[in-house]
Amino acid sequence: AAAAAPVPEPAGDPALAAWPRFDDVLALIRERRDMTLLLDVERHLRLVHYAPGRIEFAPTPGAPPDLAARLAQRLQSWTGRRWGVSVVSGGGAPTLAETRAAEAAALAAAARAHPLVQAVLAAFPGAAISDIRRLGPAEDPAEALPEAPADPALAGILPEAGDEWDPFEDG
């Protein structure tokens, strides 16, 4: 009988496998409710390389000088494992804040380009787009509006849905 070869363990610390993606690190920071660290990471960290237990980033101008040290210290205290967090001089992906701002700008530009929105803005000088909400893929805007709750005090006074009612009719 041939002996089965042992299965090699994944590279790195298996205890860090719970955080395979950088998004998992962000979720951990949110879970621990360290909002100062979360905001600093979202605004000032341009991710260059991530592996569980290892983060390399390029800071934005104006980033707190202790961001790498704070991130490493908090991750070590929360996970019980040492994290290598290092700063590199350049490169990296856009920050999460930059990505969100670009998505919001693209969404606003698409909304402004819609003929119906252009007609509304032309009909109401000074009007502005204040909020943009996405509908689900199969949602109809008319169906997205909630129905008014039935008021028991008006029962019998107002017609039921589907009834024809004439305000000038007696009765």
Side-chain angles (χ1 to χ4, degrees):
V7 177
E9 283 193 25
D13 188 343
L16 294 173
W19 301 278
R21 301 171 304 130
F22 187 66
D23 287 343
D24 299 316
V25 171
L26 294 171
L28 176 63
I29 298 170
R30 282 185 194 97
E31 177 185 310
R32 295 301 179 128
R33 298 178 187 227
D34 191 334
M35 293 302 117
T36 303
L37 180 61
L38 180 63
L39 288 174
D40 284 343
V41 167
E42 288 181 349
R43 292 177 183 164
H44 301 295
L45 188 146
R46 290 186 175 134
L47 189 63
V48 173
H49 176 73
Y50 176 80
R54 183 89 187 121
I55 299 171
E56 291 180 10
F57 73 95
T60 62
D66 66 339
L67 178 57
R70 280 189 301 127
L71 181 58
Q73 185 272 327
R74 298 276 174 30
L75 290 173
Q76 181 175 349
S77 78
W78 295 333
T79 65
R81 297 286 191 244
R82 185 180 170 131
W83 285 70
V85 179
S86 56
V87 175
V88 297
S89 61
T95 67
L96 291 174
E98 291 168 341
T99 301
R100 288 181 188 142
E103 289 171 357
L107 192 58
R112 271 192 298 285
H114 192 279
L116 182 59
V117 174
Q118 288 179 348
V120 169
L121 293 174
F124 298 99
I129 299 171
S130 63
D131 188 23
I132 299 172
R133 289 184 228 137
R134 294 181 186 261
L135 296 176
E139 286 185 46
D140 178 2
E143 293 176 6
L145 298 174
E147 287 194 33
D151 186 350
L154 299 176
I157 298 173
L158 296 176
E160 294 297 318
D163 285 353
E164 301 242 352
W165 180 68
D166 183 352
F168 300 106
E169 181 179 295
D170 252 356

